[in-house]
Amino acid sequence: MTQLVLRERQSRDRGWYDEMADCFADDSIVQMSWFTGSGADFVRQTRAMAGRGDYAVHRLSPPAVRIDGDRALAELPLIIEWRIDIDGVEADLASACRSQYRAERGADGIWRIARITSIYEKDTLVPVLPGTRLAVHPGELTRYRPSYRFLAWYLNRNGYAVGDHHLGDDRPVAVAGRYRAEHTWLHQSPAPATSAGTRKEHHS
């Protein structure tokens, strides 16, 4: 399970999109700042994002993994790092978050990702060269939440739709609810497969 989580992140950072796609179950769901949808669409949109020059890397901490039968839950702390241009000034944007990974082991014995949900903590935006100044007016940032303020500002500036509804440590009640939901899912028995071979359960 640990290697599955790390392989998905490594494949994304290195542009190994076929390998990345193989990490996801057919009915998987991904929810993060700039994207909500299926795992397959996440891979396609990640490829398109890189093709536009919007490229980030992920600095990972060791994941904490819990397994119950054919289900597993991992929490992966990470920092999303962007080297970006802000009106001609080179800058570094760093967004700290932790991602919750659900995974299930299929009949073939292989673990695949069923869901990824990101919980945002804080972010920073600084010029690369000391002494240079970023011309970012504070008024542009007031509508963004502190857990992912600069990330949302930058992505929206570049044409991505990032709302204010995502999980973050500035909304602890919602985060606590997500932890309860993840642990409930982990210890539930998987729903029986339908005749088409897909699960009756829909991941919330």
Short mmCIF file of all heavy atoms in Angstrom, two decimals, residues 37-98:
data_model
loop_
_atom_site.label_atom_id
_atom_site.label_comp_id
_atom_site.label_asym_id
_atom_site.label_seq_id
_atom_site.Cartn_x
_atom_site.Cartn_y
_atom_site.Cartn_z
N GLY A 37 -13.09 14.68 -9.79
CA GLY A 37 -13.58 13.79 -10.83
C GLY A 37 -12.97 12.41 -10.67
O GLY A 37 -12.46 12.05 -9.60
N SER A 38 -13.00 11.64 -11.73
CA SER A 38 -12.51 10.26 -11.68
C SER A 38 -10.99 10.22 -11.73
O SER A 38 -10.33 11.18 -12.17
CB SER A 38 -13.07 9.46 -12.86
OG SER A 38 -12.48 9.90 -14.08
N GLY A 39 -10.43 9.10 -11.29
CA GLY A 39 -8.99 8.93 -11.38
C GLY A 39 -8.49 9.00 -12.80
O GLY A 39 -7.43 9.59 -13.07
N ALA A 40 -9.23 8.40 -13.74
CA ALA A 40 -8.82 8.42 -15.15
C ALA A 40 -8.78 9.85 -15.68
O ALA A 40 -7.84 10.25 -16.38
CB ALA A 40 -9.76 7.57 -15.98
N ASP A 41 -9.81 10.66 -15.34
CA ASP A 41 -9.82 12.05 -15.78
C ASP A 41 -8.72 12.86 -15.10
O ASP A 41 -8.16 13.79 -15.69
CB ASP A 41 -11.18 12.69 -15.50
CG ASP A 41 -12.23 12.30 -16.52
OD1 ASP A 41 -11.84 11.84 -17.62
OD2 ASP A 41 -13.43 12.45 -16.24
N PHE A 42 -8.42 12.53 -13.85
CA PHE A 42 -7.34 13.21 -13.15
C PHE A 42 -6.01 13.02 -13.87
O PHE A 42 -5.23 13.98 -14.03
CB PHE A 42 -7.24 12.68 -11.72
CG PHE A 42 -6.12 13.25 -10.92
CD1 PHE A 42 -6.00 14.62 -10.71
CD2 PHE A 42 -5.18 12.41 -10.34
CE1 PHE A 42 -4.96 15.14 -9.95
CE2 PHE A 42 -4.14 12.92 -9.58
CZ PHE A 42 -4.03 14.28 -9.39
N VAL A 43 -5.75 11.81 -14.33
CA VAL A 43 -4.52 11.55 -15.08
C VAL A 43 -4.51 12.37 -16.37
O VAL A 43 -3.51 13.01 -16.72
CB VAL A 43 -4.36 10.05 -15.37
CG1 VAL A 43 -3.13 9.81 -16.25
CG2 VAL A 43 -4.25 9.26 -14.07
N ARG A 44 -5.63 12.38 -17.09
CA ARG A 44 -5.70 13.13 -18.35
C ARG A 44 -5.51 14.63 -18.12
O ARG A 44 -4.78 15.30 -18.86
CB ARG A 44 -7.03 12.86 -19.05
CG ARG A 44 -7.11 11.50 -19.72
CD ARG A 44 -8.34 11.38 -20.60
NE ARG A 44 -9.56 11.21 -19.82
CZ ARG A 44 -10.06 10.03 -19.48
NH1 ARG A 44 -9.45 8.92 -19.84
NH2 ARG A 44 -11.18 9.96 -18.78
N GLN A 45 -6.16 15.16 -17.09
CA GLN A 45 -6.05 16.59 -16.83
C GLN A 45 -4.67 16.96 -16.29
O GLN A 45 -4.17 18.07 -16.53
CB GLN A 45 -7.14 17.02 -15.84
CG GLN A 45 -8.54 16.95 -16.41
CD GLN A 45 -8.71 17.85 -17.63
OE1 GLN A 45 -8.19 18.96 -17.68
NE2 GLN A 45 -9.43 17.36 -18.63
N THR A 46 -4.04 16.05 -15.56
CA THR A 46 -2.66 16.28 -15.11
C THR A 46 -1.72 16.38 -16.30
O THR A 46 -0.84 17.25 -16.36
CB THR A 46 -2.22 15.14 -14.18
OG1 THR A 46 -3.02 15.16 -13.00
CG2 THR A 46 -0.76 15.29 -13.79
N ARG A 47 -1.89 15.49 -17.28
CA ARG A 47 -1.08 15.54 -18.49
C ARG A 47 -1.29 16.86 -19.23
O ARG A 47 -0.34 17.51 -19.69
CB ARG A 47 -1.42 14.36 -19.41
CG ARG A 47 -0.56 14.28 -20.65
CD ARG A 47 -1.18 13.33 -21.67
NE ARG A 47 -1.16 11.95 -21.24
CZ ARG A 47 -0.22 11.07 -21.56
NH1 ARG A 47 0.80 11.45 -22.32
NH2 ARG A 47 -0.30 9.82 -21.14
N ALA A 48 -2.56 17.29 -19.34
CA ALA A 48 -2.87 18.54 -20.02
C ALA A 48 -2.29 19.73 -19.27
O ALA A 48 -1.79 20.68 -19.88
CB ALA A 48 -4.38 18.70 -20.16
N MET A 49 -2.35 19.70 -17.94
CA MET A 49 -1.79 20.78 -17.13
C MET A 49 -0.30 20.92 -17.36
O MET A 49 0.22 22.03 -17.55
CB MET A 49 -2.07 20.50 -15.65
CG MET A 49 -1.50 21.52 -14.69
SD MET A 49 -1.75 21.04 -12.95
CE MET A 49 -2.96 22.26 -12.47
N ALA A 50 0.42 19.80 -17.36
CA ALA A 50 1.86 19.84 -17.63
C ALA A 50 2.14 20.35 -19.03
O ALA A 50 3.12 21.08 -19.25
CB ALA A 50 2.46 18.45 -17.43
N GLY A 51 1.28 19.98 -19.99
CA GLY A 51 1.47 20.45 -21.36
C GLY A 51 1.31 21.95 -21.50
O GLY A 51 1.88 22.55 -22.42
N ARG A 52 0.56 22.58 -20.59
CA ARG A 52 0.42 24.03 -20.60
C ARG A 52 1.55 24.73 -19.86
O ARG A 52 1.58 25.96 -19.76
CB ARG A 52 -0.92 24.42 -19.97
CG ARG A 52 -2.14 24.05 -20.80
CD ARG A 52 -3.41 24.68 -20.26
NE ARG A 52 -3.77 24.15 -18.96
CZ ARG A 52 -4.57 23.10 -18.78
NH1 ARG A 52 -5.06 22.44 -19.82
NH2 ARG A 52 -4.86 22.68 -17.56
N GLY A 53 2.46 23.96 -19.29
CA GLY A 53 3.57 24.54 -18.55
C GLY A 53 3.28 24.77 -17.08
O GLY A 53 4.11 25.35 -16.38
N ASP A 54 2.14 24.31 -16.59
CA ASP A 54 1.79 24.43 -15.18
C ASP A 54 2.26 23.16 -14.48
O ASP A 54 1.57 22.14 -14.48
CB ASP A 54 0.29 24.63 -15.01
CG ASP A 54 -0.20 25.92 -15.64
OD1 ASP A 54 0.56 26.90 -15.62
OD2 ASP A 54 -1.32 25.94 -16.16
N TYR A 55 3.41 23.24 -13.90
CA TYR A 55 4.10 22.03 -13.44
C TYR A 55 4.52 22.19 -11.99
O TYR A 55 5.15 23.19 -11.62
CB TYR A 55 5.33 21.77 -14.32
CG TYR A 55 6.12 20.56 -13.94
CD1 TYR A 55 5.65 19.28 -14.24
CD2 TYR A 55 7.33 20.67 -13.28
CE1 TYR A 55 6.36 18.15 -13.88
CE2 TYR A 55 8.06 19.55 -12.92
CZ TYR A 55 7.57 18.29 -13.22
OH TYR A 55 8.28 17.17 -12.86
N ALA A 56 4.19 21.22 -11.16
CA ALA A 56 4.58 21.22 -9.75
C ALA A 56 5.24 19.88 -9.41
O ALA A 56 5.04 18.88 -10.10
CB ALA A 56 3.36 21.43 -8.85
N VAL A 57 6.02 19.89 -8.34
CA VAL A 57 6.58 18.66 -7.79
C VAL A 57 6.11 18.52 -6.35
O VAL A 57 5.67 19.49 -5.73
CB VAL A 57 8.12 18.62 -7.87
CG1 VAL A 57 8.58 18.63 -9.31
CG2 VAL A 57 8.72 19.79 -7.10
N HIS A 58 6.21 17.30 -5.81
CA HIS A 58 5.68 17.01 -4.49
C HIS A 58 6.79 16.46 -3.60
O HIS A 58 7.44 15.47 -3.94
CB HIS A 58 4.54 16.00 -4.59
CG HIS A 58 3.41 16.47 -5.44
ND1 HIS A 58 3.45 16.45 -6.82
CD2 HIS A 58 2.21 17.02 -5.11
CE1 HIS A 58 2.32 16.95 -7.30
NE2 HIS A 58 1.56 17.30 -6.29
N ARG A 59 7.01 17.14 -2.47
CA ARG A 59 7.98 16.68 -1.46
C ARG A 59 7.19 15.88 -0.42
O ARG A 59 6.33 16.42 0.25
CB ARG A 59 8.67 17.87 -0.80
CG ARG A 59 9.37 18.80 -1.77
CD ARG A 59 10.49 18.12 -2.54
NE ARG A 59 11.07 19.02 -3.54
CZ ARG A 59 11.93 18.63 -4.47
NH1 ARG A 59 12.31 17.37 -4.52
NH2 ARG A 59 12.41 19.50 -5.34
N LEU A 60 7.53 14.61 -0.30
CA LEU A 60 6.69 13.69 0.45
C LEU A 60 7.31 13.35 1.81
O LEU A 60 8.53 13.21 1.94
CB LEU A 60 6.50 12.40 -0.34
CG LEU A 60 6.01 12.55 -1.79
CD1 LEU A 60 5.87 11.18 -2.43
CD2 LEU A 60 4.69 13.31 -1.84
N SER A 61 6.44 13.18 2.80
CA SER A 61 6.80 12.59 4.07
C SER A 61 6.29 11.16 4.12
O SER A 61 5.44 10.77 3.31
CB SER A 61 6.20 13.41 5.22
OG SER A 61 6.72 14.73 5.24
N PRO A 62 6.78 10.35 5.04
CA PRO A 62 6.31 8.95 5.09
C PRO A 62 4.80 8.88 5.33
O PRO A 62 4.27 9.58 6.19
CB PRO A 62 7.09 8.37 6.27
CG PRO A 62 8.30 9.23 6.41
CD PRO A 62 7.86 10.61 6.02
N PRO A 63 4.10 8.06 4.57
CA PRO A 63 2.66 7.89 4.79
C PRO A 63 2.38 7.01 6.00
O PRO A 63 3.14 6.08 6.30
CB PRO A 63 2.18 7.22 3.50
CG PRO A 63 3.38 6.49 2.99
CD PRO A 63 4.59 7.29 3.40
N ALA A 64 1.28 7.31 6.69
CA ALA A 64 0.78 6.43 7.74
C ALA A 64 -0.32 5.57 7.13
O ALA A 64 -1.27 6.10 6.54
CB ALA A 64 0.24 7.25 8.91
N VAL A 65 -0.22 4.26 7.28
CA VAL A 65 -1.13 3.33 6.60
C VAL A 65 -1.85 2.45 7.61
O VAL A 65 -1.22 1.91 8.54
CB VAL A 65 -0.34 2.44 5.60
CG1 VAL A 65 -1.27 1.45 4.93
CG2 VAL A 65 0.36 3.30 4.56
N ARG A 66 -3.16 2.31 7.41
CA ARG A 66 -3.97 1.37 8.18
C ARG A 66 -4.65 0.42 7.20
O ARG A 66 -5.18 0.87 6.18
CB ARG A 66 -5.01 2.11 9.02
CG ARG A 66 -4.42 2.94 10.15
CD ARG A 66 -5.47 3.80 10.83
NE ARG A 66 -4.96 4.45 12.02
CZ ARG A 66 -4.26 5.58 12.02
NH1 ARG A 66 -3.98 6.18 10.87
NH2 ARG A 66 -3.83 6.10 13.16
N ILE A 67 -4.66 -0.87 7.53
CA ILE A 67 -5.24 -1.89 6.64
C ILE A 67 -6.25 -2.71 7.42
O ILE A 67 -6.02 -3.10 8.57
CB ILE A 67 -4.14 -2.80 6.06
CG1 ILE A 67 -3.16 -1.99 5.20
CG2 ILE A 67 -4.76 -3.93 5.24
CD1 ILE A 67 -1.98 -2.79 4.68
N ASP A 68 -7.38 -2.94 6.80
CA ASP A 68 -8.41 -3.83 7.36
C ASP A 68 -8.92 -4.70 6.23
O ASP A 68 -9.70 -4.26 5.38
CB ASP A 68 -9.54 -3.02 7.98
CG ASP A 68 -10.54 -3.90 8.75
OD1 ASP A 68 -10.52 -5.12 8.54
OD2 ASP A 68 -11.31 -3.35 9.56
N GLY A 69 -8.45 -5.94 6.18
CA GLY A 69 -8.84 -6.85 5.12
C GLY A 69 -8.37 -6.36 3.76
O GLY A 69 -7.16 -6.16 3.55
N ASP A 70 -9.31 -6.17 2.84
CA ASP A 70 -8.97 -5.74 1.49
C ASP A 70 -9.12 -4.23 1.30
O ASP A 70 -9.17 -3.74 0.17
CB ASP A 70 -9.86 -6.46 0.47
CG ASP A 70 -9.52 -7.94 0.36
OD1 ASP A 70 -8.33 -8.29 0.54
OD2 ASP A 70 -10.43 -8.74 0.11
N ARG A 71 -9.18 -3.51 2.43
CA ARG A 71 -9.23 -2.05 2.35
C ARG A 71 -8.05 -1.45 3.10
O ARG A 71 -7.56 -2.01 4.09
CB ARG A 71 -10.54 -1.52 2.96
CG ARG A 71 -11.75 -1.79 2.07
CD ARG A 71 -12.99 -1.11 2.61
NE ARG A 71 -14.06 -1.17 1.63
CZ ARG A 71 -15.23 -0.56 1.75
NH1 ARG A 71 -15.48 0.18 2.83
NH2 ARG A 71 -16.15 -0.67 0.82
N ALA A 72 -7.60 -0.30 2.63
CA ALA A 72 -6.49 0.39 3.28
C ALA A 72 -6.73 1.90 3.21
O ALA A 72 -7.34 2.41 2.27
CB ALA A 72 -5.16 0.04 2.61
N LEU A 73 -6.23 2.57 4.23
CA LEU A 73 -6.32 4.02 4.31
C LEU A 73 -4.94 4.56 4.62
O LEU A 73 -4.29 4.12 5.57
CB LEU A 73 -7.31 4.43 5.41
CG LEU A 73 -7.54 5.92 5.63
CD1 LEU A 73 -8.20 6.55 4.42
CD2 LEU A 73 -8.40 6.14 6.88
N ALA A 74 -4.47 5.49 3.81
CA ALA A 74 -3.15 6.10 4.01
C ALA A 74 -3.30 7.61 4.10
O ALA A 74 -4.09 8.21 3.37
CB ALA A 74 -2.21 5.74 2.86
N GLU A 75 -2.52 8.21 4.99
CA GLU A 75 -2.42 9.66 5.04
C GLU A 75 -1.00 10.03 4.65
O GLU A 75 -0.04 9.58 5.27
CB GLU A 75 -2.74 10.21 6.42
CG GLU A 75 -2.62 11.73 6.48
CD GLU A 75 -3.12 12.32 7.79
OE1 GLU A 75 -4.34 12.53 7.90
OE2 GLU A 75 -2.29 12.53 8.70
N LEU A 76 -0.89 10.87 3.61
CA LEU A 76 0.41 11.23 3.05
C LEU A 76 0.64 12.73 3.22
O LEU A 76 0.04 13.53 2.51
CB LEU A 76 0.46 10.86 1.57
CG LEU A 76 1.73 11.25 0.82
CD1 LEU A 76 2.93 10.45 1.34
CD2 LEU A 76 1.56 11.02 -0.69
N PRO A 77 1.48 13.16 4.18
CA PRO A 77 1.83 14.58 4.27
C PRO A 77 2.75 14.96 3.11
O PRO A 77 3.67 14.21 2.75
CB PRO A 77 2.57 14.69 5.61
CG PRO A 77 2.29 13.40 6.33
CD PRO A 77 2.09 12.37 5.26
N LEU A 78 2.52 16.12 2.53
CA LEU A 78 3.34 16.54 1.40
C LEU A 78 3.35 18.05 1.26
O LEU A 78 2.52 18.76 1.83
CB LEU A 78 2.85 15.89 0.11
CG LEU A 78 1.40 16.15 -0.33
CD1 LEU A 78 1.32 17.35 -1.26
CD2 LEU A 78 0.83 14.92 -1.03
N ILE A 79 4.32 18.54 0.49
CA ILE A 79 4.39 19.95 0.10
C ILE A 79 4.40 20.01 -1.41
O ILE A 79 5.22 19.37 -2.07
CB ILE A 79 5.63 20.63 0.68
CG1 ILE A 79 5.59 20.64 2.21
CG2 ILE A 79 5.74 22.07 0.16
CD1 ILE A 79 6.81 21.23 2.87
N ILE A 80 3.46 20.76 -1.98
CA ILE A 80 3.39 20.99 -3.42
C ILE A 80 4.26 22.21 -3.73
O ILE A 80 4.03 23.29 -3.18
CB ILE A 80 1.95 21.24 -3.88
CG1 ILE A 80 1.00 20.19 -3.31
CG2 ILE A 80 1.87 21.28 -5.41
CD1 ILE A 80 -0.45 20.59 -3.39
N GLU A 81 5.26 22.04 -4.59
CA GLU A 81 6.20 23.12 -4.89
C GLU A 81 6.06 23.56 -6.35
O GLU A 81 6.12 22.73 -7.26
CB GLU A 81 7.63 22.66 -4.62
CG GLU A 81 7.90 22.36 -3.15
CD GLU A 81 9.33 21.94 -2.90
OE1 GLU A 81 10.02 21.56 -3.87
OE2 GLU A 81 9.77 22.00 -1.74
N TRP A 82 5.88 24.85 -6.54
CA TRP A 82 5.77 25.45 -7.87
C TRP A 82 6.87 26.50 -8.03
O TRP A 82 7.03 27.36 -7.16
CB TRP A 82 4.42 26.15 -8.05
CG TRP A 82 3.20 25.34 -7.85
CD1 TRP A 82 2.68 24.88 -6.67
CD2 TRP A 82 2.29 24.91 -8.87
NE1 TRP A 82 1.53 24.19 -6.90
CE2 TRP A 82 1.25 24.19 -8.22
CE3 TRP A 82 2.25 25.08 -10.26
CZ2 TRP A 82 0.20 23.63 -8.92
CZ3 TRP A 82 1.19 24.51 -10.95
CH2 TRP A 82 0.19 23.80 -10.29
N ARG A 83 7.61 26.47 -9.12
CA ARG A 83 8.49 27.58 -9.53
C ARG A 83 7.73 28.34 -10.61
O ARG A 83 7.50 27.81 -11.69
CB ARG A 83 9.82 27.03 -10.05
CG ARG A 83 10.79 28.07 -10.60
CD ARG A 83 11.25 29.10 -9.59
NE ARG A 83 11.88 28.59 -8.40
CZ ARG A 83 13.20 28.32 -8.29
NH1 ARG A 83 14.00 28.51 -9.33
NH2 ARG A 83 13.72 27.89 -7.14
N ILE A 84 7.30 29.56 -10.30
CA ILE A 84 6.36 30.28 -11.15
C ILE A 84 6.87 31.67 -11.48
O ILE A 84 7.86 32.16 -10.92
CB ILE A 84 4.98 30.39 -10.46
CG1 ILE A 84 5.09 31.12 -9.13
CG2 ILE A 84 4.37 29.00 -10.26
CD1 ILE A 84 3.76 31.33 -8.42
N ASP A 85 6.18 32.31 -12.41
CA ASP A 85 6.47 33.69 -12.81
C ASP A 85 5.27 34.56 -12.44
O ASP A 85 4.14 34.28 -12.85
CB ASP A 85 6.74 33.76 -14.32
CG ASP A 85 7.06 35.17 -14.78
OD1 ASP A 85 6.12 35.96 -15.01
OD2 ASP A 85 8.25 35.49 -14.89
N ILE A 86 5.52 35.60 -11.67
CA ILE A 86 4.49 36.56 -11.30
C ILE A 86 4.84 37.91 -11.90
O ILE A 86 5.67 38.65 -11.38
CB ILE A 86 4.33 36.68 -9.77
CG1 ILE A 86 4.04 35.33 -9.13
CG2 ILE A 86 3.25 37.70 -9.42
CD1 ILE A 86 2.72 34.73 -9.54
N ASP A 87 4.27 38.19 -13.06
CA ASP A 87 4.50 39.46 -13.75
C ASP A 87 5.99 39.75 -13.92
O ASP A 87 6.48 40.85 -13.64
CB ASP A 87 3.82 40.61 -12.99
CG ASP A 87 2.32 40.44 -12.91
OD1 ASP A 87 1.73 39.88 -13.86
OD2 ASP A 87 1.72 40.82 -11.89
N GLY A 88 6.72 38.73 -14.39
CA GLY A 88 8.14 38.88 -14.67
C GLY A 88 9.07 38.64 -13.51
O GLY A 88 10.29 38.71 -13.67
N VAL A 89 8.54 38.32 -12.34
CA VAL A 89 9.36 38.03 -11.16
C VAL A 89 9.28 36.54 -10.85
O VAL A 89 8.18 35.99 -10.70
CB VAL A 89 8.90 38.85 -9.94
CG1 VAL A 89 9.75 38.50 -8.71
CG2 VAL A 89 8.99 40.34 -10.23
N GLU A 90 10.43 35.89 -10.76
CA GLU A 90 10.48 34.46 -10.46
C GLU A 90 10.16 34.24 -8.99
O GLU A 90 10.70 34.92 -8.11
CB GLU A 90 11.86 33.91 -10.80
CG GLU A 90 11.92 32.39 -10.88
CD GLU A 90 13.27 31.90 -11.36
OE1 GLU A 90 14.27 32.60 -11.11
OE2 GLU A 90 13.31 30.82 -11.98
N ALA A 91 9.28 33.28 -8.71
CA ALA A 91 8.82 33.06 -7.34
C ALA A 91 8.66 31.58 -7.06
O ALA A 91 8.50 30.76 -7.97
CB ALA A 91 7.49 33.78 -7.09
N ASP A 92 8.68 31.24 -5.77
CA ASP A 92 8.41 29.88 -5.31
C ASP A 92 7.12 29.88 -4.50
O ASP A 92 6.98 30.64 -3.53
CB ASP A 92 9.55 29.35 -4.43
CG ASP A 92 10.74 28.88 -5.25
OD1 ASP A 92 10.54 28.45 -6.39
OD2 ASP A 92 11.87 28.95 -4.73
N LEU A 93 6.21 29.01 -4.90
CA LEU A 93 4.96 28.80 -4.17
C LEU A 93 5.03 27.41 -3.55
O LEU A 93 5.30 26.42 -4.25
CB LEU A 93 3.77 28.91 -5.11
CG LEU A 93 2.35 29.01 -4.51
CD1 LEU A 93 1.38 29.52 -5.57
CD2 LEU A 93 1.84 27.69 -3.96
N ALA A 94 4.79 27.32 -2.25
CA ALA A 94 4.82 26.03 -1.55
C ALA A 94 3.52 25.87 -0.78
O ALA A 94 3.16 26.73 0.04
CB ALA A 94 6.01 25.94 -0.62
N SER A 95 2.81 24.78 -1.03
CA SER A 95 1.53 24.50 -0.38
C SER A 95 1.64 23.21 0.42
O SER A 95 1.90 22.14 -0.14
CB SER A 95 0.41 24.38 -1.42
OG SER A 95 -0.81 24.03 -0.82
N ALA A 96 1.47 23.31 1.74
CA ALA A 96 1.54 22.15 2.61
C ALA A 96 0.14 21.56 2.77
O ALA A 96 -0.83 22.28 3.03
CB ALA A 96 2.10 22.54 3.98
N CYS A 97 0.05 20.26 2.59
CA CYS A 97 -1.24 19.58 2.76
C CYS A 97 -0.98 18.13 3.15
O CYS A 97 0.17 17.69 3.28
CB CYS A 97 -2.07 19.66 1.49
SG CYS A 97 -1.46 18.69 0.10
N ARG A 98 -2.06 17.42 3.38
CA ARG A 98 -1.97 15.98 3.57
C ARG A 98 -3.10 15.36 2.77
O ARG A 98 -4.21 15.89 2.75
CB ARG A 98 -2.02 15.60 5.04
CG ARG A 98 -3.20 16.13 5.82
CD ARG A 98 -2.95 16.03 7.33
NE ARG A 98 -4.11 16.40 8.10
CZ ARG A 98 -4.40 17.65 8.46
NH1 ARG A 98 -3.61 18.66 8.10
NH2 ARG A 98 -5.48 17.90 9.19
#
